[in-house]
Amino acid sequence: MERNCDVVIVGGGPGGLAAAKGAREAGADSVLVLEREDKVGGILNQCLHDGFGLVHYRAALTGPEYARRARLEAQEAGAALLTGAMVTGLAPDRTLTAVTRRGLLTCRAGAVVLATGCRERTRGAIAIPGTRPAGIYTAGAAQNLMNTKNLMVGRRVVILGSGDIGLIMARRLTLEGATVLCVAEMNAVPGGLERNVSQCLYDFGIPLHLRHTVTAIFGRKRLEGVELSRLDDCGQPIPGTQRRVDCDTLLLSVGLIPENEVGAQGGVRLDPVTNGALTDACLQTNVPGVFSCGNSRRVMDLADFVTRQGQAAGANAARFVRGLALEPMPPETSNAMAKGLPQPGVTTCVLCPKGCRVTLLPGGEAKGNGCPKGEEYARQEAVAPKRVLTTTLKDPNGRLVPVKTAAGVPKEKLLWCMERLRPLQLPETARLPGDVAAKDPFGLGVDLVVSGEA
């Protein structure tokens, strides 16, 4: 098969979908997104938790909800989305080859946007000594197995690394009945957001060991335990501090690397340290007409920022095809929410991207909030904290569908609520996000609603 397109986008995650929309809105006649998975959305499809979309959509969305909005926007703009299409080659003349369900596709593009995202560092990248038993996963792989395939990865779990995905998986595993024995972090402060340390570890009493790492792995067929050691100021294990922790599962949350094999084939110059594609201020690489955005360029804090950059890359790809001057990308931003250990007596508001740190003074006055909602949130956290519960249910055909509570439920009832949900099945009437999956299943006045698609 052969095809000619104005703009071809490699990758159908938030960056690629935004690039498709941006290219169409900037005047590209034909825009094609090539996505290797069975549906677009990228990593968002397995991120059941909420907190996405605060910047771009001004709403707290789950990953599947964000992915659906981005897909609909790209389709409404007139972009074509081809799933099950694995790009295997990119030539400097912007000719792409892809393996699809219908055979080999050769696509000649006027411009190309690389939105290939990033991959996780593995055990091999951090050189943990020991045997090679089953039960060792990257945190993202475990998330995919649990949230999209309904497979439980283990029962007694140690997590290495305190980035946000590791923290979120600590909560997800606990809600599904596993015991998370601890999270080990080699640095002096956790790498994830304060809100995630609080809501994913402190809510469930999960120990966090700073300045610790895994120094040995035990077990042959299945993981039987790991050795934890304290680290000195130079990051080296301190002799005599090692101790064995018996477990059947180890999750690695030890960093992300931009994915750029396709770009490298086309001659795109990469950063030797990060492996990210090097671009100019207009997101164009050293290869004319080839652009890069999002996590394939530089690992970014939020999907919202990836969307913003993707839209700019797509628009410049369209301008390149039309022979127009390129425009600089929006200023690069980072998440304003605080990272590290929560401070006693300080609440980080999660209602908007500002992430105000609110302190309730002894006299009852609130300090640090930028709006009345911040004060209201801090008072709620101090008296009766609530959490939105996200999980999956099976529909009548056995397919997993993401669901969430329509509002927060009391923090202390999260595990009890999960037990009430286990025997439930999604009704046939619940098909689209927002549909009621169960009417007040906990007797708390909170409905369970669909938050994604099968």
Short mmCIF file of all heavy atoms in Angstrom, two decimals, residues 13-16 42-44 52 114-119 256-260 274-277 283 292-307 309-310 332:
data_model
loop_
_atom_site.label_atom_id
_atom_site.label_comp_id
_atom_site.label_asym_id
_atom_site.label_seq_id
_atom_site.Cartn_x
_atom_site.Cartn_y
_atom_site.Cartn_z
N GLY A 13 -0.52 9.26 21.07
CA GLY A 13 -0.77 9.67 22.44
C GLY A 13 -1.25 11.12 22.49
O GLY A 13 -1.66 11.68 21.46
N PRO A 14 -1.21 11.76 23.66
CA PRO A 14 -1.71 13.13 23.74
C PRO A 14 -0.97 14.10 22.83
O PRO A 14 -1.57 15.01 22.25
CB PRO A 14 -1.53 13.49 25.22
CG PRO A 14 -0.53 12.50 25.75
CD PRO A 14 -0.74 11.26 24.96
N GLY A 15 0.35 13.92 22.68
CA GLY A 15 1.10 14.79 21.80
C GLY A 15 0.74 14.59 20.34
O GLY A 15 0.57 15.56 19.59
N GLY A 16 0.63 13.34 19.92
CA GLY A 16 0.29 13.05 18.53
C GLY A 16 -1.11 13.50 18.16
O GLY A 16 -1.33 14.04 17.07
N GLY A 42 -2.34 6.46 23.84
CA GLY A 42 -1.05 6.20 24.46
C GLY A 42 -1.18 5.73 25.90
O GLY A 42 -2.10 4.99 26.27
N ILE A 43 -0.25 6.18 26.72
CA ILE A 43 -0.19 5.74 28.11
C ILE A 43 -1.42 6.15 28.91
O ILE A 43 -1.75 5.55 29.94
CB ILE A 43 1.09 6.32 28.77
CG1 ILE A 43 1.47 5.54 30.05
CG2 ILE A 43 0.94 7.79 29.05
CD1 ILE A 43 1.96 4.15 29.80
N LEU A 44 -2.15 7.16 28.41
CA LEU A 44 -3.34 7.62 29.14
C LEU A 44 -4.36 6.52 29.33
O LEU A 44 -5.09 6.51 30.33
CB LEU A 44 -3.99 8.79 28.38
CG LEU A 44 -3.19 10.09 28.30
CD1 LEU A 44 -3.87 11.05 27.34
CD2 LEU A 44 -3.03 10.72 29.67
N PHE A 52 -5.57 14.47 35.56
CA PHE A 52 -5.19 14.94 34.24
C PHE A 52 -6.13 16.09 33.83
O PHE A 52 -7.26 16.17 34.29
CB PHE A 52 -5.32 13.82 33.20
CG PHE A 52 -4.38 12.66 33.44
CD1 PHE A 52 -4.79 11.56 34.17
CD2 PHE A 52 -3.09 12.67 32.93
CE1 PHE A 52 -3.94 10.49 34.39
CE2 PHE A 52 -2.23 11.61 33.15
CZ PHE A 52 -2.66 10.52 33.88
N LEU A 114 7.21 13.61 15.11
CA LEU A 114 7.55 12.48 15.97
C LEU A 114 6.94 12.72 17.35
O LEU A 114 7.34 13.64 18.07
CB LEU A 114 9.06 12.31 16.08
CG LEU A 114 9.81 12.07 14.77
CD1 LEU A 114 11.31 12.09 15.01
CD2 LEU A 114 9.38 10.75 14.14
N ALA A 115 5.95 11.90 17.70
CA ALA A 115 5.29 11.99 19.00
C ALA A 115 5.29 10.60 19.62
O ALA A 115 4.24 10.06 20.00
CB ALA A 115 3.87 12.53 18.84
N THR A 116 6.47 10.03 19.70
CA THR A 116 6.63 8.62 20.07
C THR A 116 6.73 8.39 21.57
O THR A 116 6.86 7.25 22.02
CB THR A 116 7.87 8.03 19.37
OG1 THR A 116 8.97 8.94 19.50
CG2 THR A 116 7.61 7.84 17.88
N GLY A 117 6.70 9.46 22.36
CA GLY A 117 6.66 9.29 23.80
C GLY A 117 7.97 8.82 24.40
O GLY A 117 9.06 9.11 23.89
N CYS A 118 7.89 8.07 25.48
CA CYS A 118 9.08 7.62 26.18
C CYS A 118 8.89 6.18 26.67
O CYS A 118 7.79 5.64 26.62
CB CYS A 118 9.40 8.54 27.36
SG CYS A 118 8.05 8.76 28.53
N ARG A 119 9.97 5.59 27.11
CA ARG A 119 9.92 4.23 27.65
C ARG A 119 10.53 4.24 29.05
O ARG A 119 11.24 5.18 29.42
CB ARG A 119 10.66 3.26 26.74
CG ARG A 119 12.15 3.52 26.63
CD ARG A 119 12.83 2.47 25.76
NE ARG A 119 14.26 2.62 25.72
CZ ARG A 119 14.94 3.29 24.81
NH1 ARG A 119 14.28 3.91 23.84
NH2 ARG A 119 16.25 3.38 24.85
N LEU A 256 12.40 7.59 33.06
CA LEU A 256 11.88 7.46 31.70
C LEU A 256 12.92 7.95 30.70
O LEU A 256 13.71 8.85 30.99
CB LEU A 256 10.59 8.27 31.55
CG LEU A 256 9.45 7.91 32.50
CD1 LEU A 256 8.35 8.96 32.44
CD2 LEU A 256 8.89 6.53 32.17
N ILE A 257 12.89 7.36 29.51
CA ILE A 257 13.83 7.70 28.44
C ILE A 257 13.03 8.01 27.18
O ILE A 257 12.18 7.21 26.78
CB ILE A 257 14.79 6.53 28.16
CG1 ILE A 257 15.54 6.12 29.43
CG2 ILE A 257 15.78 6.90 27.05
CD1 ILE A 257 16.33 4.84 29.28
N PRO A 258 13.25 9.16 26.52
CA PRO A 258 12.56 9.43 25.26
C PRO A 258 12.77 8.31 24.24
O PRO A 258 13.87 7.77 24.11
CB PRO A 258 13.20 10.74 24.80
CG PRO A 258 13.63 11.41 26.06
CD PRO A 258 14.08 10.28 26.95
N GLU A 259 11.69 7.96 23.55
CA GLU A 259 11.71 6.87 22.55
C GLU A 259 11.97 7.47 21.17
O GLU A 259 11.14 8.22 20.65
CB GLU A 259 10.35 6.16 22.57
CG GLU A 259 10.21 5.05 21.57
CD GLU A 259 11.10 3.87 21.91
OE1 GLU A 259 10.85 3.20 22.92
OE2 GLU A 259 12.06 3.65 21.15
N ASN A 260 13.12 7.14 20.58
CA ASN A 260 13.49 7.81 19.33
C ASN A 260 14.15 6.90 18.30
O ASN A 260 14.92 7.37 17.46
CB ASN A 260 14.40 9.00 19.63
CG ASN A 260 13.62 10.26 19.96
OD1 ASN A 260 12.77 10.68 19.19
ND2 ASN A 260 13.87 10.81 21.14
N THR A 274 20.07 12.49 27.29
CA THR A 274 18.67 12.13 27.56
C THR A 274 18.06 11.24 26.49
O THR A 274 17.00 10.64 26.72
CB THR A 274 17.81 13.40 27.65
OG1 THR A 274 17.77 14.04 26.37
CG2 THR A 274 18.40 14.37 28.68
N ASN A 275 18.66 11.17 25.31
CA ASN A 275 18.11 10.46 24.15
C ASN A 275 16.91 11.19 23.53
O ASN A 275 16.22 10.65 22.67
CB ASN A 275 17.70 9.03 24.49
CG ASN A 275 17.64 8.13 23.26
OD1 ASN A 275 18.62 8.01 22.53
ND2 ASN A 275 16.50 7.50 23.00
N GLY A 276 16.66 12.42 23.96
CA GLY A 276 15.58 13.20 23.38
C GLY A 276 15.98 13.80 22.04
O GLY A 276 17.16 14.09 21.79
N ALA A 277 15.01 13.99 21.15
CA ALA A 277 15.27 14.61 19.86
C ALA A 277 15.61 16.09 20.07
O ALA A 277 14.91 16.81 20.78
CB ALA A 277 14.05 14.47 18.96
N LEU A 283 10.40 23.58 17.15
CA LEU A 283 10.22 22.14 17.31
C LEU A 283 10.63 21.34 16.08
O LEU A 283 10.30 20.16 15.96
CB LEU A 283 8.76 21.80 17.69
CG LEU A 283 8.30 22.39 19.03
CD1 LEU A 283 6.80 22.19 19.23
CD2 LEU A 283 9.07 21.74 20.19
N SER A 292 9.51 17.29 16.33
CA SER A 292 9.37 16.41 17.50
C SER A 292 8.70 17.19 18.62
O SER A 292 8.86 18.41 18.74
CB SER A 292 10.74 15.92 17.96
OG SER A 292 10.62 15.09 19.11
N CYS A 293 7.93 16.47 19.45
CA CYS A 293 7.21 17.14 20.54
C CYS A 293 7.02 16.18 21.71
O CYS A 293 7.15 14.96 21.58
CB CYS A 293 5.85 17.64 20.05
SG CYS A 293 4.71 16.31 19.58
N GLY A 294 6.70 16.75 22.85
CA GLY A 294 6.34 15.95 24.01
C GLY A 294 7.48 15.13 24.55
O GLY A 294 8.65 15.53 24.53
N ASN A 295 7.16 13.93 25.02
CA ASN A 295 8.14 13.11 25.71
C ASN A 295 9.21 12.52 24.80
O ASN A 295 10.24 12.06 25.29
CB ASN A 295 7.43 11.97 26.46
CG ASN A 295 6.66 12.47 27.66
OD1 ASN A 295 6.92 13.54 28.18
ND2 ASN A 295 5.69 11.70 28.10
N SER A 296 8.99 12.50 23.49
CA SER A 296 10.05 12.04 22.60
C SER A 296 11.14 13.10 22.48
O SER A 296 12.27 12.81 22.07
CB SER A 296 9.50 11.70 21.22
OG SER A 296 8.91 12.83 20.61
N ARG A 297 10.80 14.32 22.83
CA ARG A 297 11.78 15.43 22.82
C ARG A 297 12.39 15.62 24.20
O ARG A 297 13.60 15.75 24.33
CB ARG A 297 11.06 16.70 22.37
CG ARG A 297 11.91 17.94 22.35
CD ARG A 297 11.11 19.14 21.84
NE ARG A 297 11.86 20.37 21.99
CZ ARG A 297 11.82 21.15 23.06
NH1 ARG A 297 11.02 20.81 24.08
NH2 ARG A 297 12.54 22.25 23.11
N ARG A 298 11.56 15.63 25.21
CA ARG A 298 12.01 15.79 26.60
C ARG A 298 10.89 15.31 27.50
O ARG A 298 9.74 15.69 27.32
CB ARG A 298 12.31 17.26 26.90
CG ARG A 298 12.80 17.52 28.31
CD ARG A 298 13.14 18.99 28.51
NE ARG A 298 11.98 19.86 28.44
CZ ARG A 298 11.18 20.13 29.48
NH1 ARG A 298 11.41 19.58 30.67
NH2 ARG A 298 10.14 20.93 29.34
N VAL A 299 11.21 14.46 28.47
CA VAL A 299 10.19 13.93 29.37
C VAL A 299 9.55 15.09 30.12
O VAL A 299 10.24 15.92 30.73
CB VAL A 299 10.79 12.91 30.36
CG1 VAL A 299 9.75 12.46 31.37
CG2 VAL A 299 11.34 11.70 29.59
N MET A 300 8.21 15.15 30.07
CA MET A 300 7.48 16.29 30.62
C MET A 300 6.64 15.87 31.81
O MET A 300 6.29 14.70 31.97
CB MET A 300 6.60 16.91 29.52
CG MET A 300 7.39 17.30 28.28
SD MET A 300 6.41 18.13 27.01
CE MET A 300 6.30 19.77 27.70
N ASP A 301 6.29 16.86 32.65
CA ASP A 301 5.57 16.60 33.89
C ASP A 301 4.13 16.15 33.66
O ASP A 301 3.63 15.25 34.32
CB ASP A 301 5.53 17.86 34.76
CG ASP A 301 6.88 18.13 35.41
OD1 ASP A 301 7.65 17.19 35.56
OD2 ASP A 301 7.14 19.29 35.77
N LEU A 302 3.43 16.83 32.74
CA LEU A 302 1.99 16.64 32.59
C LEU A 302 1.61 16.38 31.14
O LEU A 302 2.21 16.94 30.22
CB LEU A 302 1.23 17.89 33.07
CG LEU A 302 1.33 18.28 34.54
CD1 LEU A 302 0.53 19.55 34.79
CD2 LEU A 302 0.85 17.15 35.44
N ALA A 303 0.57 15.57 30.97
CA ALA A 303 0.02 15.35 29.63
C ALA A 303 -0.49 16.66 29.04
O ALA A 303 -0.45 16.85 27.82
CB ALA A 303 -1.11 14.33 29.69
N ASP A 304 -0.94 17.57 29.90
CA ASP A 304 -1.42 18.88 29.43
C ASP A 304 -0.33 19.64 28.69
O ASP A 304 -0.58 20.26 27.66
CB ASP A 304 -1.90 19.72 30.61
CG ASP A 304 -2.94 19.02 31.45
OD1 ASP A 304 -2.62 17.98 32.06
OD2 ASP A 304 -4.08 19.48 31.49
N PHE A 305 0.91 19.58 29.20
CA PHE A 305 2.02 20.27 28.55
C PHE A 305 2.39 19.58 27.24
O PHE A 305 2.77 20.22 26.26
CB PHE A 305 3.23 20.31 29.47
CG PHE A 305 2.98 21.01 30.79
CD1 PHE A 305 3.72 20.68 31.91
CD2 PHE A 305 2.01 21.99 30.90
CE1 PHE A 305 3.50 21.32 33.12
CE2 PHE A 305 1.78 22.64 32.11
CZ PHE A 305 2.53 22.31 33.22
N VAL A 306 2.29 18.25 27.22
CA VAL A 306 2.53 17.50 25.98
C VAL A 306 1.53 17.92 24.91
O VAL A 306 1.87 18.11 23.74
CB VAL A 306 2.45 15.98 26.25
CG1 VAL A 306 2.52 15.19 24.95
CG2 VAL A 306 3.56 15.54 27.19
N THR A 307 0.27 18.08 25.31
CA THR A 307 -0.77 18.51 24.37
C THR A 307 -0.45 19.88 23.78
O THR A 307 -0.53 20.09 22.57
CB THR A 307 -2.14 18.55 25.08
OG1 THR A 307 -2.52 17.22 25.43
CG2 THR A 307 -3.21 19.16 24.20
N GLN A 309 2.43 21.37 23.48
CA GLN A 309 3.58 21.31 22.59
C GLN A 309 3.26 20.55 21.30
O GLN A 309 3.72 20.92 20.22
CB GLN A 309 4.75 20.64 23.31
CG GLN A 309 6.10 20.93 22.70
CD GLN A 309 7.23 20.41 23.55
OE1 GLN A 309 7.72 19.31 23.31
NE2 GLN A 309 7.64 21.18 24.54
N GLY A 310 2.44 19.51 21.41
CA GLY A 310 2.05 18.76 20.23
C GLY A 310 1.28 19.61 19.24
O GLY A 310 1.49 19.53 18.02
N GLU A 332 8.19 26.71 27.52
CA GLU A 332 8.17 25.42 28.22
C GLU A 332 7.84 25.67 29.69
O GLU A 332 8.39 26.56 30.33
CB GLU A 332 9.51 24.71 28.08
CG GLU A 332 9.80 24.32 26.64
CD GLU A 332 10.83 23.21 26.54
OE1 GLU A 332 10.61 22.15 27.15
OE2 GLU A 332 11.83 23.42 25.86
#
